[in-house]
Amino acid sequence: MKPFCGRANPTTGALDWVEESEEYDYHQEIARSCYADMLHDHDRNKKYYEGIRAAVSRIKARGERVVVLDIGTGTGLLSMMAVTAGADFCYAVEVFKPMAEAAQCIVKKNNFSDKIKIINKHSSDVTVGPEGDMHEKANLLITELFDTELIGEGALPSYEHAHQNLVMAGCEAVPHRATVYAQLVESELLWSWAQLQPVEVEGLGLVPPPAVGRCAGAHSVCDIQLSQVSPSSFTPLSPLCTMFSVDFSRPVSSTFQSHSTRFVVQTGGRAQVVLSWWDLEMDRSGTIVCSMAPSWMYPQPAMAPWRDHWMQSVYFLPEESRVTEQEELSLTVCHDDYSLWYSLQSHSLQDAPAKAPPSRPCCTCQAHLVWTRSRFGELNDRRRTGSYIAALRSVLSEDSVCLSVSDGSLLPVFAHMLGAKKVFSLENSRMSRQVIEEVLEANSVKGGVELLEIRPEQLTSQDLRGEQQISVLMGEPYFSTSLLPWHSLFFWYCRTALAGILRPSATILPSSASLHMMAVEFQDLWRIRAPCGTCEGFDVSPMDEMIQRSLDFRESREAEPHPLWEYPCRALTQSTAVMTFDFTQCVPKQPISSQGSLPLIRSGRCHGVALWMEYQLTDDVIVSGGLTQPINEQGTCEWSRHRRQGVYFLRSAWDSSGDGRAAVSYSFTFEPSLGDIKMDFSIITQ
């Protein structure tokens, strides 16, 4: 039976009831997963294999049978490594049913079924005994339960339960130990993702609400490819500090803990951000280490292993503080069973009573719940803000009646400051409305913008407080529900719904949007979609086949969102606008189509297509959600840090000679009734 599912359409804003296969979510999770990234991580796999061999050898040297418990087995790779290294039997636990079934196929294909038992349960539900899932406790514990924050996937509770119930006392563990490192830095770039900064652009000044500046912000980690943040973008204030370690061969606690490290300030500045990562010692000797350090920590950055399943963490301190060179400070990290948070303490008052460890930060100003970190960065981008202010100046007059359609936007505030007669703004939530009200009050223009919690199609002239029609409809556009670049076409649907209250000569800002594309070679991102075939000598093709079946399942063959500033790529074709959407007109009834081809003009391996939107604010002002600089001769691209771009991976990569004889053929169709863009790409040759 195919159930009906209600799905919010991010482009049209409607709730679409669609008949979905019962396997829809299953295929989506597999298709959008990054299992292949882990299998392509040779550094990780090699270090695990070395650690497993060493642990098995030690147990064998004691004259004991080697019984393995592998928690979070995934493909069964680590269990197969253990059996190959000499383990007598492995209990491989995997809670995700499709993954457990794939592991069963892989184990059978590699002829390990007599030595590896796949258990499709959460490890906390596994039983031991004659009738249990495990007939005996294990003396070798192998796990891969880690995320970018180390403990965010529930590693501590799983280890805690395993030591209490599933493994012998004094067991060997691979990895043996994890160590967390941190460095205190000052960074205007990174801090702009946490706090709203004062705006001083084009003679216009705006200050953030005091409540936002006092707020500790959202507690969740900001995980990014820190290798793509240049060291020139921050100033280290502390040395790299060792914060704490967890020995996985001993009982582990998931209760609250705090750890402090004293250090002397290297350079005076503003303490704002903590950069953090961890490493794994695969063996008790400490000689087999798998490090998550960013590439700029390596003597040869180009030799640093790339991985997307484990990145680096950015933590924002609860408040900015000034520190001076040679000052002695303590950096404290606290953690519960799933997350970490940092705080900074001074030792200038030697006799001050000890304070309780800081509690987990939480947002009290609501702005950090309304605006994501990338959205904070976008609002703090002076160049971008200057473009919008310049565009507003060119279209506003003293009798302008403005309506803003964007989520949590500062555009209506700017429009009021620039002298518009009346400004209205549609807000998507009460929380968003309250944040903008606080911005208005902080700038002594409370009441200068009429904030309306109403859907565009419900707005009437009666809601305009005596103003009969709108002369300027404006939007960035930005909507919190957007995932892919073209989801911002929701602005077009709003414009259409509002047509009845717009003056015939109304200005629409932006006046149009265009969808751009180019074919690219990814430096590393290709790994998340590339089949593995064999991994460290083991046939994992059933995993490739499972992922391909899910990729072939309806929507899974569409583009997916990625912040391309974190994932370097080279342009192999020119960039071009493939579709234009005229916001001065209503959404058409008929589909819009576009076909063509782009010659491959640079040599390299074409992995797919990058897609983004650009907005024509006025005749002279364009804002890009993709490329921020022209592509250079080598094809190097610089991307916006604020918006995610769309990526369409080709089914098979294509080796381009760069002579223009091969081209990427494209076909786009915008379906107005669905609010969706269907696309297809292929390689053609002369």
Side-chain angles (χ1 to χ4, degrees):
M1 184 178 74
K2 293 184 177 182
F4 278 93
C5 301
R7 300 190 184 278
N9 188 315
T11 308
T12 66
L15 180 64
D16 297 338
W17 288 93
V18 293
E19 190 179 35
E20 293 288 12
S21 165
E22 291 181 340
E23 297 184 332
Y24 175 81
D25 290 329
Y26 155 89
H27 284 294
Q28 286 292 297
E29 182 160 354
I30 294 172
R32 296 294 180 242
S33 70
C34 295
Y35 290 116
D37 168 38
M38 291 186 278
L39 296 177
H40 281 295
D41 188 347
H42 176 66
D43 178 72
R44 161 195 176 270
N45 301 337
K46 176 187 174 187
K47 303 286 177 59
Y48 260 104
Y49 212 165
E50 291 175 356
I52 288 169
R53 289 195 191 100
V56 169
S57 295
R58 279 194 300 274
I59 298 173
K60 289 285 190 183
R62 298 197 293 263
E64 301 174 18
R65 291 178 68 248
V66 181
V67 180
V68 175
L69 172 61
D70 175 8
I71 301 178
T73 193
T75 58
L77 175 66
L78 302 185
S79 287
M80 293 189 293
M81 288 179 175
V83 171
T84 304
D88 295 281
F89 198 81
C90 292
Y91 295 100
V93 181
E94 176 56 52
V95 69
F96 186 39
K97 185 177 180 180
M99 198 70 252
E101 292 172 348
Q104 194 78 59
C105 292
I106 291 170
V107 165
K108 182 178 180 180
K109 195 175 187 69
N110 289 274
N111 300 313
F112 290 115
S113 295
D114 60 332
K115 292 289 187 79
I116 299 174
K117 178 183 179 181
I118 305 297
I119 303 172
N120 181 208
K121 287 185 175 182
H122 192 281
S123 63
S124 60
D125 296 325
V126 172
T127 57
V128 180
E131 304 299 323
D133 301 303
M134 298 171 62
H135 294 166
E136 58 188 316
K137 288 188 175 182
N139 56 4
L140 174 53
L141 176 58
I142 300 174
T143 61
E144 208 283 51
L145 298 171
F146 314 113
D147 69 347
T148 292
E149 203 172 15
L150 182 67
I151 64 173
E153 291 185 359
L156 296 182
S158 296
Y159 272 110
E160 186 175 42
H161 177 270
H163 276 285
Q164 292 172 353
N165 301 279
L166 306 177
V167 299
M168 298 178 183
C171 71
E172 298 281 346
V174 179
H176 175 73
R177 179 184 292 110
T179 302
V180 173
Y181 303 92
Q183 186 170 41
L184 180 69
V185 304
E186 173 184 347
S187 174
E188 181 179 356
L189 169 66
L190 299 178
W191 191 241
S192 73
W193 300 350
Q195 291 290 342
L196 186 63
Q197 306 298 320
V199 175
E200 292 183 12
V201 178
E202 297 273 333
L204 206 63
L206 182 145
V207 297
V212 177
R214 294 193 300 266
C215 181
H219 79 272
S220 57
V221 65
C222 176
D223 53 340
I224 63 171
Q225 290 285 355
L226 200 53
S227 297
Q228 300 308 313
V229 177
S230 169
S232 63
S233 298
F234 60 87
T235 302
L237 306 181
S238 76
L240 185 64
C241 301
T242 301
M243 299 308 300
F244 69 94
S245 295
V246 183
D247 186 338
F248 298 125
S249 68
R250 299 179 180 179
V252 171
S253 173
S254 62
T255 59
F256 171 90
Q257 293 184 34
S258 66
H259 310 269
S260 294
T261 298
R262 287 195 177 198
F263 67 91
V264 174
V265 175
Q266 296 180 157
T267 305
R270 295 172 296 162
Q272 300 168 324
V273 176
V274 174
L275 310 181
S276 182
W277 56 87
W278 45 269
D279 66 27
L280 296 174
E281 294 177 28
M282 295 299 184
D283 183 59
R284 61 176 65 243
S285 68
T287 58
I288 308 169
V289 179
C290 185
S291 173
M292 306 312 125
S295 61
W296 36 257
M297 288 293 293
Y298 284 73
Q300 295 179 287
M303 301 302 292
W306 183 88
R307 46 180 69 98
D308 204 47
H309 54 104
W310 295 331
M311 294 186 280
Q312 295 79 36
S313 300
V314 174
Y315 298 90
F316 303 98
L317 291 177
E319 60 182 354
E320 177 185 84
S321 60
R322 176 70 62 177
V323 298
T324 57
E325 189 173 350
Q326 296 301 308
E327 183 180 1
E328 186 177 359
L329 301 173
S330 279
L331 185 62
T332 297
V333 60
C334 301
H335 71 79
D336 51 22
D337 47 351
Y338 282 93
S339 60
L340 282 69
W341 59 96
Y342 284 82
S343 61
L344 189 65
Q345 296 83 34
S346 172
H347 289 282
S348 57
L349 300 176
Q350 297 292 332
D351 299 326
K355 293 183 178 180
S359 58
R360 178 163 47 183
C362 64
C363 176
T364 56
C365 71
Q366 301 188 88
H368 299 91
L369 306 178
V370 170
W371 296 326
T372 63
R373 292 191 172 105
S374 59
R375 178 61 170 161
F376 267 101
E378 189 167 61
L379 294 174
N380 286 324
D381 186 331
R382 296 183 184 90
R383 182 177 177 181
R384 179 180 181 277
T385 298
S387 295
Y388 281 95
I389 290 176
L392 285 173
R393 282 190 191 278
S394 70
V395 302
L396 292 180
S397 63
E398 60 183 14
D399 63 348
S400 294
V401 179
C402 305
L403 176 62
S404 173
V405 181
S406 278
D407 293 349
S409 176
L410 299 179
L411 285 190
V413 184
F414 294 142
H416 172 76
M417 291 180 166
L418 289 169
K421 175 185 175 184
K422 188 66 179 176
V423 182
F424 300 91
S425 179
L426 300 187
E427 296 298 332
N428 70 331
S429 69
R430 181 155 300 179
M431 194 178 299
S432 175
R433 173 178 176 170
Q434 290 174 349
V435 169
I436 300 303
E437 284 177 344
E438 290 179 4
V439 172
L440 291 166
E441 186 172 357
N443 290 274
S444 303
V445 289
K446 185 176 182 180
V449 177
E450 188 82 23
L451 302 171
L452 305 172
E453 283 182 66
I454 189 169
R455 292 182 59 84
E457 65 271 17
Q458 298 170 334
L459 188 68
T460 67
S461 57
Q462 293 180 341
D463 298 307
L464 301 182
R465 305 293 191 268
E467 300 294 341
Q468 295 302 308
Q469 289 186 309
I470 299 298
S471 61
V472 178
L473 177 66
M474 57 190 178
E476 302 184 36
Y478 170 83
F479 303 103
S480 59
T481 53
S482 296
L483 294 175
L484 288 161
W486 44 93
H487 288 168
S488 62
L489 291 176
F490 180 50
F491 178 79
W492 202 10
Y493 286 84
C494 293
R495 178 259 181 270
T496 303
L498 295 165
I501 61 170
L502 297 179
R503 294 179 187 175
S505 59
T507 297
I508 312 296
L509 189 155
S511 60
S512 66
S514 51
L515 176 63
H516 292 245
M517 68 158 278
M518 66 182 179
V520 297
E521 174 187 49
F522 285 109
Q523 181 175 300
D524 296 296
L525 188 63
W526 60 270
R527 301 172 195 270
I528 71 171
R529 292 289 169 263
C532 293
T534 60
C535 180
E536 307 305 320
F538 302 100
D539 186 344
V540 294
S541 58
M543 177 71 186
D544 296 333
E545 294 163 5
M546 181 181 74
I547 292 175
Q548 190 58 57
R549 284 194 299 271
S550 292
L551 285 170
D552 291 338
F553 186 82
R554 202 163 68 79
E555 293 185 7
S556 301
R557 274 308 307 170
E558 297 184 348
E560 52 194 80
H562 289 284
L564 291 185
W565 73 269
E566 294 186 56
Y567 304 105
C569 61
R570 288 177 57 243
L572 300 183
T573 65
Q574 293 182 344
S575 66
T576 187
V578 291
M579 301 190 88
T580 299
F581 310 95
D582 185 359
F583 294 163
T584 65
Q585 304 297 317
C586 291
V587 176
K589 300 293 185 183
Q590 300 302 315
I592 302 173
S593 297
S594 173
Q595 296 84 34
S597 62
L598 285 175
L600 290 159
I601 57 174
R602 295 183 183 90
S603 61
R605 171 158 281 203
C606 181
H607 296 114
V609 174
L611 303 129
W612 68 97
M613 297 289 279
E614 294 188 1
Y615 305 99
Q616 190 86 37
L617 302 188
T618 65
D619 291 342
D620 303 320
V621 183
I622 297 175
V623 171
S624 173
L627 289 176
T628 58
Q629 297 290 335
I631 303 167
N632 68 14
E633 291 184 7
Q634 290 72 40
T636 304
C637 308
E638 291 189 27
W639 298 96
S640 167
R641 296 178 186 268
H642 313 315
R643 302 277 176 117
R644 294 189 176 206
Q645 291 73 43
V647 175
Y648 189 104
F649 288 99
L650 297 178
R651 186 179 290 269
S652 299
W654 177 270
D655 290 320
S656 166
S657 61
D659 59 8
R661 294 183 179 180
V664 177
S665 173
Y666 62 83
S667 173
F668 293 88
T669 301
F670 171 64
E671 295 282 356
S673 61
L674 301 176
D676 195 15
I677 298 179
K678 299 296 183 184
M679 58 190 70
D680 190 39
F681 304 93
S682 61
I683 302 293
I684 57 175
T685 57
Q686 293 183 354

